[in-house]
Every structure is written in structure tokens, then in C-alpha cells.
Amino acid sequence: MWQKHLQPYIDRGFVVAIGVVQEQHPDRAKLYKQWRQLGWTIFVDSLNVLDHKVVPIPMGLSINGHVQFPRLTRGNLKAFLDKDERLVDTPRPRAPHAMKGDEYFYANKPGSLDRAIASYGKQKDNRRARFRLGVALRRRADSAARKPGDAQAAATAWTQALAADPNQYIWRRRLQQYGPLLAKPYNFYGWVKQARADIKARGETPIALNPEPRGSELMQRGGKVDAPPANKDPQGRIARDPGFVAVDTVVTPARVRPGHVARVRMVITIDKAFWNNEADPLTLFVDRAGVEGVFVHQNPKPASTRETRVLEFDVPIPADEKRKSIAVLGYVLFNLCEKEGGVCRLLRLDVGVMIKVDKNAPAIMR
Amino acid sequence: MACALRFSLALALLTTPLLAGPGVGYGRGQIHPDFHLPKLDKTMGHLSEFRGKKVFLFNFASW
């Protein structure tokens, strides 16, 4: 809506339009910009350096950088555009909550993300540092430099940040992005499918996303979920995986209130072997009533692949739960081949996750 | 997304971010703090690059 109303004034040089996007993954903002054909300069504030608690905030700034209209509307846009001010030499102080770790985070050099994580990690009582620690950990978790436990540590840091400031909706949304289905007010990245279709219809190639939105990022209340499949190997007779496959498990939020829901995400990677896509699909079996989610990873078309596979499910915590942690146990069954065209086997990997229950945990279901 | 925008805008109207220093902040008449952030092309940029121009500054998210 802003684009349509502003463009004539932008074209005549009366105003410049700038976006600041609160986004964990800059590529997604890039795709959004391509879809909406925004000619604006867009900055990415993954760390929430600007310390906004909500978006959107359309703001009108004078030629000297003064806030003339803190909340622009269609009704006051003309008044903003008509308002004159003489250019003077005004100091422009930096954003007040900038931290040392921010420089490392944005340095984009080998090891700089590790240094950002170390820097934020030292500030245990600073809620903004907790949030930024989560952002940096999640970025590393989504990169080739990921370390086991990064994604869980990100969820833990975000949970701590939100507990310290439950009215911070930018932080809440980041946690909800990876959180339980029932915590989502809507499908956060449902627009991606339509954006790609519209961009292709214009004859363009959509910007590639890395990582692709998936699992809880694309789900909404009322979306399709399944109960876990029936136990196929109750006696544990299928051979155990000798180490081809690793599972990194994330619980979001890191602490869950009784009566609320935890999201469990299992990221399954394969090493020195290939998924056998001509056999039954990878399937997760979970021994707990009431869970819902995605338990089967459908095979891609190529006969053998090595992609990372993700399964996710919600675990409701009873309102009268008295224990401080709940164990959810299960196993993954999968077919792999040790070489392309080599020996292929059905294997089992036992998995388990501990969900921390805390009546004082932040409620993210808002 | 439209639903989210309405919801978030309603919250925005009820929320004023607290910033350090008199005269610096997001309130009417205050100086908007400068920032040093990456652009979508991964180069770093400042708000102060736009000094001398009237700026429509849209804080938003794609989610």
C-alpha cells in the first residue's frame, strides 16, 4: 500500500523510501522485495539493534533525521511530504543498544560468528544480548559451520530473552517461528509459495532461499498434521545405525509451561552414506500419546540423495504436570546405501528428548 | 499477513520503545538514531547516508 502512494513522490525526488526488516534470514526479505517489486533500499536488522518491539512502524523523517511522524498513515502522509525543514548540521548518535558482538556478527569473516556468540554469551543478564545470542546461534545452526546443539541453544537464549521481556513481540515471533503449531497466530512464510508463482509468471527467477522455510515456519492452526505411526519394531530387532546418521534435536520453547505445547524438531543428517529413496521413507516413531506433527520424510525423486531431513512434532504438556522434565522417546527407521549402488540396509536409530517443564516459563502462545 | 500487520500495528500504537539519551529516539521531534546495518546486497550502510533527504522509513517483516 505504501509503495503505491509513495512512488509518485519518490519519482519526483520529494522523498526516499527505506525499509528495515526484522528477519532472521535476509534471503527471505530479498524474495519479498523481488515479489513486491520494491525499489527501496532495505536494511536487515536480524539482531533487532533498533530495539523495536513490534512491526510494522511506518515513520516519517525530516531532512535532518528528526522524527516528524512517528506513525505515518495515509491520512498524514501528505502533511509529512509537504512539511519543510532547513538543513542544519545535526549530530546523528548511534543506536543506543549496539554491542561489541554486533560488529563480529556483521563482519562476515571466518570465525567472526563464533566470536559474536562468545561475546553475547558473556552477557548472561542482558536480555538484548540473550536475543542476539539466539540469532547468532541460529545463523550458525543454519550454516555449514553448525555445531551440535546450536539450534537448541538458540531456542534457550530466545526463551530467556522473552522471559525477561514478555512484551517484546519481535523476539516472541522469532521464538514462535520455530515453536509449536498452536503458538502461531498465522502461517509466517505462507506467502513464499504465492511469491514464487507470481515472480515466475512475470518471467523472472525467484531468489533462492537458504535455508528453505520448513516445518513449523510454514504451519498454522488447522494445518495438516498426523499422529505418529504405529510402532513397527516394538522388540527392537532392526539393526542399529553404526554411525551413518546423526540427529540434532531442538525443543522450542526451551522451557514449557504446564498446559502449553512444546515443539520438537529433529534435524537428521547423513554421513558417508546415501539415503535409499527407492525403499520406504524415513519414519519417526514416538512413544507418547497426544503428539502431532510430521513423522515421515517423503522420498525425493532421485534414487539416492544426501540431504538433511527434518521432522517436527508438537508435544502437549498436561496442565497438571508436576514433573520438571518429560522424556519423549522413540526411534527413526531409514533406508540407506553405503555407496551409490552399493550395499543398502534398513537401520534404526534410537532418539530421545527431554522437555523441561516450568510453571514460570514465558508463554509464547500469543 | 494483512491480519498480522493490523495486529502488530495495534500493538505498535500502544508501545513506545525506550532509548537512552534525551532527544534521541523514535518519538516526534527526536533525532532518529543512526544505524549501521547490512543491506540486502550484503554491503553495510548507514541511515545517515540519506541525510539531506526526506525519508519514509518502514520498519517491517516479511512474516
Side-chain angles (χ1 to χ4, degrees):
Chain A
M1 124 37 187
W2 287 111
Q3 191 182 8
K4 179 182 157 194
H5 291 285
L6 282 167
Q7 200 57 48
Y9 300 96
I10 293 171
D11 292 343
R12 281 182 278 167
F14 288 175
V15 66
V16 292
I18 298 170
V20 178
V21 64
Q22 299 289 331
E23 191 83 59
Q24 176 72 23
H25 304 292
D27 287 351
R28 298 180 189 182
K30 213 168 176 177
L31 180 68
Y32 187 82
K33 180 183 176 183
Q34 183 188 20
W35 180 37
R36 295 297 190 197
Q37 298 180 297
L38 289 172
W40 309 352
T41 297
I42 293 182
F43 295 90
V44 185
D45 187 15
S46 302
L47 297 171
N48 192 224
V49 170
L50 291 187
D51 208 40
H52 287 304
K53 292 194 172 190
V54 292
V55 284
I57 307 174
M59 202 178 272
L61 307 185
S62 76
I63 58 173
N64 291 306
H66 287 106
V67 179
Q68 287 182 320
F69 289 83
R71 299 283 187 269
L72 274 174
T73 63
R74 279 177 64 182
N76 62 22
L77 180 62
K78 189 163 186 317
F80 164 60
L81 295 168
D82 288 344
K83 196 168 176 129
D84 284 332
E85 191 174 279
R86 194 166 55 85
L87 188 62
V88 293
D89 191 14
T90 314
R92 299 295 294 272
R94 293 283 299 274
H97 299 297
M99 296 176 190
K100 189 178 177 185
D102 304 347
E103 292 170 26
Y104 294 131
F105 182 83
Y106 290 124
N108 204 21
K109 291 178 183 170
S112 60
L113 190 55
D114 297 338
R115 283 194 280 278
I117 289 167
S119 178
Y120 295 135
K122 289 175 187 165
Q123 302 174 66
K124 295 191 189 310
D125 297 325
N126 182 329
R127 61 187 189 275
R128 293 181 180 86
R130 288 285 103 184
F131 175 74
R132 293 176 200 186
L133 174 63
V135 174
L137 283 163
R138 183 73 217 189
R139 180 152 298 182
R140 192 168 69 183
D142 288 329
S143 76
R146 75 180 65 87
K147 296 182 180 176
D150 273 351
Q152 181 61 71
T156 300
W158 284 333
T159 303
Q160 291 165 341
L162 187 63
D165 188 354
N167 296 310
Q168 230 297 2
Y169 273 78
I170 302 293
W171 302 356
R172 181 180 296 276
R173 290 286 185 264
R174 203 69 60 91
L175 198 53
Q176 286 175 331
Q177 186 172 335
Y178 304 100
L181 181 60
L182 284 172
K184 285 180 179 40
Y186 56 93
N187 180 344
F188 285 10
Y189 290 99
W191 60 268
V192 168
K193 190 176 176 186
Q194 187 61 50
R196 285 173 169 158
D198 291 348
I199 291 166
K200 283 179 185 167
R202 294 201 301 253
E204 301 169 33
T205 303
I207 300 287
L209 300 185
N210 184 23
E212 274 288 315
R214 57 187 173 191
S216 60
E217 295 180 281
L218 293 170
M219 289 186 166
Q220 60 185 340
R221 292 174 194 170
K224 185 182 179 303
V225 289
D226 297 312
N231 192 343
K232 262 191 179 177
D233 186 30
Q235 295 172 325
R237 297 177 64 189
I238 295 173
R240 299 304 192 270
D241 172 50
F244 292 117
V245 168
V247 177
D248 192 15
T249 306
V250 187
V251 181
T252 308
R255 292 176 287 125
V256 190
R257 281 190 193 189
H260 286 222
V261 179
R263 183 80 176 175
V264 177
R265 176 182 170 105
M266 292 189 168
V267 180
I268 305 160
T269 51
I270 189 164
D271 186 33
K272 295 175 185 166
F274 295 82
W275 302 119
N276 175 7
N277 297 328
E278 293 175 327
D280 286 342
L282 180 148
T283 303
L284 170 67
F285 300 85
V286 178
D287 185 18
R288 184 173 173 85
V291 301
E292 287 186 326
V294 177
F295 299 90
V296 179
H297 185 281
Q298 297 300 336
N299 286 333
K301 281 183 183 168
S304 61
T305 53
R306 300 189 68 185
E307 80 282 5
T308 296
R309 299 184 165 186
V310 178
L311 298 175
E312 298 187 22
F313 55 92
D314 283 357
V315 182
I317 309 299
D320 58 354
E321 181 60 60
K322 297 285 187 287
R323 290 173 291 176
K324 289 187 175 175
S325 62
I326 293 172
V328 178
L329 303 175
Y331 61 92
V332 185
L333 283 189
F334 48 88
N335 288 275
L336 59 72
C337 300
E338 294 182 25
K339 294 177 185 171
E340 272 187 291
V343 176
C344 296
R345 291 195 278 169
L346 171 66
L347 294 172
R348 166 176 167 152
L349 180 64
D350 293 333
V351 294
V353 58
M354 294 296 288
I355 298 174
K356 294 177 186 169
V357 183
D358 179 356
K359 63 181 171 46
N360 297 315
I364 67 165
M365 295 166 70
R366 276 197 279 156
Chain B
M1 184 164 167
C3 170
L5 291 178
R6 282 196 300 275
F7 174 68
S8 297
L9 185 56
L11 283 164
L13 295 170
L14 297 171
T15 313
T16 304
L18 296 173
L19 293 172
V24 182
Y26 305 133
R28 188 183 297 273
Q30 291 187 296
I31 299 171
H32 192 289
D34 198 8
F35 53 71
H36 187 223
L37 291 172
K39 300 174 190 173
L40 288 179
D41 64 3
K42 297 183 180 173
T43 61
M44 299 295 288
H46 294 264
L47 176 62
S48 52
E49 289 169 25
F50 300 90
R51 186 176 177 274
K53 294 174 181 170
K54 197 177 273 280
V55 173
F56 170 80
L57 180 61
F58 192 43
N59 296 280
F60 74 108
S62 76
W63 35 261

